[in-house]
Amino acid sequence: MTTITKAACIGGGVIGGAWAARFVLAGIDVAMYDPHPEAQRIVGEVLANAERAYAMLTMAPLPPRGTLRFAPSVEDAVQDVDWIQESVPERLDLKRGVLNEIDAHAKPDALIGSSTSGLLPSDLQRDMAHPDRLFVAHPYNPVYLLPLVELVGGNQTSKETIERAKAAYAEIGMEGVVINKEIEAFVGDRLLEALWREALWLVHDDICDTETLDNVIRYSFGMRWAQMGLFETYRIAGGEAGMRHFLGQFGPCLQWPWTKLTDVVDLDEALVEKIGAQSDAQSGMHGIRELERIRDENLVGIMQVLKGANGGKGWGAGKLLADFEARLWAGAGKADVDPTAPAPLRLVETKVNPSWADYNGHMTEFRYLQVFGDTSDALLRLIGVDDAYVKAGHSYYTVETHIRHLGEAKVGEALYATCQVLSTDDKRLHVFHAIHRADGDEVLATAEQMLLHVDAAAGRAAPADPAVLARLQAIADAHSALARPEAAGRHVGQKR
Amino acid sequence: MTTITKAACIGGGVIGGAWAARFVLAGIDVAMYDPHPEAQRIVGEVLANAERAYAMLTMAPLPPRGTLRFAPSVEDAVQDVDWIQESVPERLDLKRGVLNEIDAHAKPDALIGSSTSGLLPSDLQRDMAHPDRLFVAHPYNPVYLLPLVELVGGNQTSKETIERAKAAYAEIGMEGVVINKEIEAFVGDRLLEALWREALWLVHDDICDTETLDNVIRYSFGMRWAQMGLFETYRIAGGEAGMRHFLGQFGPCLQWPWTKLTDVVDLDEALVEKIGAQSDAQSGMHGIRELERIRDENLVGIMQVLKGANGGKGWGAGKLLADFEARLWAGAGKADVDPTAPAPLRLVETKVNPSWADYNGHMTEFRYLQVFGDTSDALLRLIGVDDAYVKAGHSYYTVETHIRHLGEAKVGEALYATCQVLSTDDKRLHVFHAIHRADGDEVLATAEQMLLHVDAAAGRAAPADPAVLARLQAIADAHSALARPEAAGRHVGQKR
């Protein structure tokens, strides 16, 4: 759970709506104010995208959703919340007016983050009564997935505010990257601006079209930058000779006439039409909603890959995802199941991730075992075999599995998995899992598994901790009332 | 197999060595010329990195490795090859001299690609006798993984040369992106230059340090650009209103004083030292070799994710990987196994991909089933159940699997999988797979599987094609001489 439980979003476009989605999915109640007649529809669409993306992003237990209400005024939205995210259009006078209104009605110590992508926080906070709690919190689209938020304080922002903000954004899975000094456009947009200007020249001058330029980026440095940045990449390019040597080599190139340094392209009607037509040729076969879905699936997949990177420790945005998941697991406490009920335990809720699909759009064979493995892990957490227990040197290892495939799951389908404990002793744990379609409860696959408790250092079976065994026995006792599944104890190819 | 079977690499640094690795791993024999006393060591290190990366990148069968020899002269290296890649240092006079020498000794129609990152092909080819076959082929580091090569012709380059080059690079898994007009630094490096210059200003002015800047990139637009480029990303930002509307909004921002447009940072000793020290603080805990490994694993994972994107059709660099694999499978012909030998078929060679690791650095449970699934797929291809057969509406589905875990595989370990056919009829296929450690043959896991031949449209079991059955029967007959594995027919928890 997050420390802050109530937030307000002022402005509900693509950015404001995505902030609301991030808050709500993190369990925070949100009051949204946006006078736009379509605000409710737009926010609803962004929230649906975000929910779809989160279902693919993480198996960690999201907290119960926060509520989302549309408030009739800024005053009504902000008065009882601890965190306010302002995302109104990029005009200084407009933002100042809205921020002053927020300031007048919010609690004096409520955090106020502005989503501005370029205005200076010192300018934004100039007329506020409590300017110390105003900061820039500049996110990147899609806000519900990309973890970056640039945190920039103005000359009246308190150091404590930036620290509180950094902690708050971490709770919703974001990294508040603190920028030392305020400058217009901060860091990310400065870099984007520089490259964008050059890109416009290249298309303007017919050196290449938009698709060629995009391919140049995504087949090369785009992939480098998804996981290391600019300097770390060049550090490698420097090799053993090092970064200083690399800079020495690179330096002179800066004097080459390699960019249209001193001129700004005129984005006139002809250039707009040229780029528009090239973009249609490049991407027009996909609708915007379709491109959003593809983008979100790709970003999810990249973050999941980076979560497993660096020998499982996580890297870049994947490390942030791992940290976020650890937070979610810690906040989830015990699974919301009654271990003493005489019924199989419903331990895993999931959806078929697009990356799990075979060429038919069905869930691939080995992903069933992934879900069964998650089910065993959930059972183990329930009986106290948690990170600390494993780090102390003991765990349960799977020694045998018998899977039966009875039906097929499609991409995006919601599934759940249940577990029946068949028998247990001080070392062995014999379970029977089933994966069900959430809509209708049909059983799609079953897995009978034997797990063995091991002393990892010694590399041999060893009795489990008495407290673990007691929790396990309570479940086994409850399940002793259940009928043994007909499929248990069967071998491959056995006649019915 | 590639159309071109012999190539020369002139210049064997990080770029030239990686070209050699790409060629050799694609089955092309390479003659390398580089007078540097350490060339052999450097090329060997790059080749080792490339081999490690390819083992993780694809399960498709790489062709038999090409040979690599170090030639005593340019003349000796180029005289009997059809493809020459020049990667000597970036000095016009030096490159001209080397290219003229290549030109003098190579076959008149041999392709000559220069790896230059900035020089104009018209300048490079000026004094050549056969300038029509000279083009720029500018790659990105690591060349053995990143699929981009910018193809740029000079004023004497023939159109046919560019077409032949594009086809040749495709055969080694690269996309030759053709640039319309030659300009210094082409497209990719122009974009990089623009952003790099801005980055140097930001660090110079203490707006942020190198780590902050890298985090800004990799937590946000780096991930966007790994899968879509600049224009496609902004097309989404424009939403339903479209690209032209987006440009209309964005346009005015270009006039903002947002980049250090008119000035070039002086990369003096103080700035070099500042960046060097910040880079040490950011990345100094990792050695360069370690950073290379992490980078390669990340790039492999990202490309694999993108291969499965867009509903399995592939996206961006992942689509290129899928195309490359299709080429490898097509070129591999039938698996190199004797289906009539009275021995289990050795069908899969693989290595434990870092993304398959659990927190202990061991191969995760469900990845064993992935390898077993690959083993069944390899058997099916062997008996003629290929893409065409599946597209025609029939296939074998796994209905039951019994896995035993007997040992553990670590990240990077080489494994192979064998298959014994236990029994078969016109619909059923009963197999027994084993995963072995390549070093020592120890069996780490076994899987007994029952597969059923189905008519996918009708959704029910149906007899397989007679030609498929005949191939299958020949294997089953050969395997009838084998002892039945002791573990076959066992159920979970059965006493030995």
Side-chain angles (χ1 to χ4, degrees), chain A residues 2-59:
Chain A
T2 52
T3 317
I4 295 176
T5 57
K6 284 186 193 175
C9 290
I10 307 302
V14 171
I15 299 295
W19 275 120
R22 243 197 141 114
F23 285 138
V24 164
L25 293 177
I28 298 173
D29 294 333
V30 172
M32 160 71 75
Y33 173 73
D34 191 323
H36 192 288
E38 299 251 50
Q40 210 145 341
R41 178 184 64 78
I42 295 169
V43 173
E45 285 176 4
V46 178
L47 183 57
N49 269 2
E51 284 190 292
R52 183 175 175 283
Y54 273 51
M56 302 185 289
L57 180 68
T58 178
M59 300 295 167

Side-chain angles (χ1 to χ4, degrees), chain B residues 58-75:
Chain B
T58 178
M59 300 294 166
L62 292 173
R65 279 179 53 160
T67 57
L68 172 64
R69 78 176 173 93
F70 285 80
S73 65
V74 169
E75 175 177 357

Side-chain angles (χ1 to χ4, degrees), chain B residues 380 383-386 389 396 453 464-474:
Chain B
L380 293 176
I383 60 173
V385 179
D386 53 16
Y389 190 89
Y396 279 92
H453 189 271
D465 181 89
V468 164
L469 289 174
R471 288 186 208 102
L472 186 54
Q473 194 57 53

